[in-house]
Amino acid sequence: MAKLSAIRGFHDSTGDILERIERVEAVARKTLEFACYEPIRLPIVEHSEVFLRGVGHSSDIVQKEMYTFEDASGRSLTLRPEGTAGFIRAYLEHGLYKERPVCKYCYSGPMFRHERPQKGRLRQFHQVGAEAMGVSDPCLDAELITLADRTLRSLGLGEFEIHLNSIGCEACREPFKQDLVAFLQKNCTMLCEDCRQRIVLNPLRVFDCKVCKEAIEKAPVMLEHLCQECLEHFQAVKACLSAFGVDVNINPRIVRGLDYYNRTTFEIYPEEGGAQSVLVAGGRYDGLVETMGGPPTAGIGFALGVERVAERLQQKEKKPDLGVEKPSLAVIALGEQEKPALCRVLTKLWDAGTSAMPVWGPQGLKAKLRFVDKRGFRYALFPSDAGRMILKDMQAGSQSEGPSAETGWIMAHIHTL
RNA sequence: GUGAGUGUAGCUCAGUGGCAGAGCACAGGGUUGUGGCCCCUGUGGCCGAGGGUUCAAUCCCCUCCACUCACCCCA
């Protein structure tokens, strides 16, 4: 029989790596909830239409990266490739927009994309998402960026850069696209093959290209062709960020991959590193709710890549932060006779709120002590029904004795250091 | 989807067309029921899978699979 293995791009996590991942999730969630974003838990599987309509047919995600399958009744279902579309579905389904004109939510969990895995890219990965609905006020754009910034700072994540752009609205983007296409066609010989195709498919994306940097240096830039309203919005976002004390780089090359964005887009990168290292990305999506069958509603959100931030933390934290040494206790049964005594003592310890690891097994004392020592336990307790039992301090090499009938003396020893 | 690299012990990796190796880990002993340091010993392998060349393949050739990295794209 073939050996069982995890699916490609789906990882098991333990130890330090898991600790960091959970820390990133916890800190991000706490930062958002502290800022009064309400937690929401969303399904991992949705009807495929949710993503077809929400993410947009033309995106790569929908075209080739979705885990789509049929359930027993023949409905087409999809493992969520991102969070926003499912969130908007819930927002509409439960009429959240009727309940309150303004609402803010945060969530976290796994996302799935069928891409070729590589560094910083998994098929199952995890995001923490934040969405703020119902207000087009530029302060909200700034608020969200600030929260992403605060999350990364709380984690102690060294240096990172926030890149900010505006990709305008439909009104100003269409005329601009025509200008851009004209420029690209004129300079078509300087472009790579991919970019020549982008002229037709999605001209804005040439700004993402790494090889054509020189060729497009003189290309017209959306930021300089914003309509009056979009320009005012963008300037207000910058002003508000400045009031928040958050520094950003204006980067006209930030063009998001998903169809639904308008106006504000932003990405956060570590100081060095390429496209794969985007830690947080987000933007405004004022037309999305309407696209998905709801009333016109402003919205903005971001997603934080948990594994990417955790990976970055690992590079920064040379040694895992052990913190204050915790008293740790192993309870060792020497042989068969001591097992009932172990059960009784262990129950008392756990009931009293003292963490302890039971050690039973066929090994000799030497092996058991080595086992406990290797795992860094400070104390070993040898329970017994015969009147008294022994507590050994592995670090000091000393032993104490106390009555088997009670455990108070053990706790006193452990906590009096 | 495209390109490159790597698959040998639980882990990290050497190695050779002719008996399969080290370090770490694990187990036992030295110390007859007291850990760490030291010493000795032991367990552990379809050398990724299938086919081909050869007297003989873990090694050379082909195919497949997996992993890693990069492209594309994205968090």
Side-chain angles (χ1 to χ4, degrees), chain A residues 272-336:
Chain A
E272 69 276 9
Q276 238 87 263
S277 52
V278 177
L279 303 173
V280 181
R284 183 163 276 288
Y285 46 80
D286 291 337
L288 179 59
V289 173
E290 214 172 343
T291 308
M292 293 186 71
T297 309
I300 180 166
F302 73 70
L304 176 148
V306 173
E307 285 86 353
R308 287 187 181 178
V309 173
E311 164 79 23
R312 191 69 200 162
L313 272 181
Q314 184 169 17
Q315 290 168 12
K316 285 284 158 196
E317 295 170 355
K318 291 273 155 61
K319 293 169 197 161
D321 184 13
L322 294 172
V324 186
E325 187 200 348
K326 279 183 279 184
S328 51
L329 175 65
V331 189
I332 299 175
L334 292 172
E336 285 302 313

Side-chain angles (χ1 to χ4, degrees), chain A residues 1-270:
Chain A
M1 188 155 73
K3 217 196 254 179
L4 298 175
S5 64
I7 303 168
R8 186 210 271 262
F10 288 66
H11 284 194
D12 305 311
S13 307
T14 59
D16 288 357
I17 292 173
L18 179 61
E19 189 277 326
R20 280 190 206 92
I21 284 174
E22 292 189 326
R23 194 163 83 229
V24 171
E25 271 171 354
V27 169
R29 290 288 300 257
K30 196 176 150 201
T31 304
L32 289 165
E33 287 173 34
F34 191 69
C36 302
Y37 283 63
E38 195 179 331
I40 184 169
R41 189 173 281 223
L42 298 161
I44 289 169
V45 185
E46 297 272 359
H47 291 302
S48 299
E49 306 95 271
V50 170
F51 303 114
L52 295 177
R53 289 169 65 181
V55 179
H57 292 74
S58 76
S59 69
D60 277 38
I61 290 177
V62 166
Q63 295 223 322
K64 52 189 188 191
E65 294 173 2
M66 295 213 301
Y67 276 95
T68 295
F69 58 93
E70 279 188 8
D71 71 359
S73 68
R75 279 301 298 253
S76 175
L77 305 183
T78 296
L79 261 42
R80 64 181 183 193
E82 57 100 49
T84 301
F87 167 73
I88 299 297
R89 191 231 79 225
Y91 176 76
L92 290 175
E93 185 168 342
H94 304 297
L96 299 177
Y97 57 94
K98 292 176 194 157
E99 200 175 315
R100 279 163 291 178
V102 184
C103 57
K104 304 174 189 175
Y105 288 91
C106 64
Y107 52 84
S108 58
M111 307 291 164
F112 305 85
R113 292 185 199 170
H114 192 113
E115 306 175 88
R116 202 74 176 253
Q118 68 184 72
K119 192 175 183 61
R121 200 172 68 188
L122 296 164
R123 287 183 173 180
Q124 178 181 335
F125 59 102
H126 297 78
Q127 292 184 336
V128 176
E131 317 282 355
M133 306 303 298
V135 178
S136 57
D137 191 312
C139 285
L140 223 56
D141 306 43
E143 173 185 314
L144 226 45
I145 293 169
T146 299
L147 288 173
D149 177 80
R150 291 182 75 86
T151 298
L152 297 183
R153 283 188 198 291
S154 304
L155 283 162
L157 187 89
E159 298 299 309
F160 55 87
E161 292 175 351
I162 304 173
H163 291 234
L164 180 69
N165 189 24
S166 174
I167 56 170
C169 59
E170 276 181 45
C172 47
R173 197 154 52 218
E174 279 314 311
F176 165 75
K177 264 192 193 173
Q178 288 171 18
D179 286 356
L180 178 63
V181 167
F183 171 88
L184 294 174
Q185 280 170 343
K186 209 164 71 184
N187 297 283
C188 158
T189 49
M190 293 170 69
L191 297 173
C192 72
E193 202 171 315
D194 285 336
C195 281
R196 276 179 228 165
Q197 289 186 4
R198 287 189 179 113
I199 296 175
V200 187
L201 294 172
N202 192 349
L204 285 181
R205 297 205 65 85
V206 297
F207 290 109
D208 268 348
C209 186
K210 285 153 213 157
V211 282
C212 296
K213 280 185 185 173
E214 266 185 50
I216 58 167
E217 210 166 310
K218 288 179 187 155
V221 154
M222 186 68 240
L223 211 47
E224 287 160 13
H225 293 73
L226 295 177
C227 63
Q228 191 58 33
E229 284 183 2
C230 285
L231 183 62
E232 279 170 14
H233 185 95
F234 184 65
Q235 280 167 344
V237 173
K238 283 195 291 185
C240 192
L241 277 168
S242 159
F244 269 123
V246 174
D247 291 329
V248 298
N249 305 331
I250 306 306
N251 182 349
R253 299 167 60 93
I254 299 295
V255 184
R256 310 288 8 272
L258 278 46
D259 289 358
Y260 52 61
Y261 287 108
N262 70 319
R263 290 192 171 168
T264 305
T265 59
F266 68 97
E267 295 182 353
I268 303 182
Y269 295 93

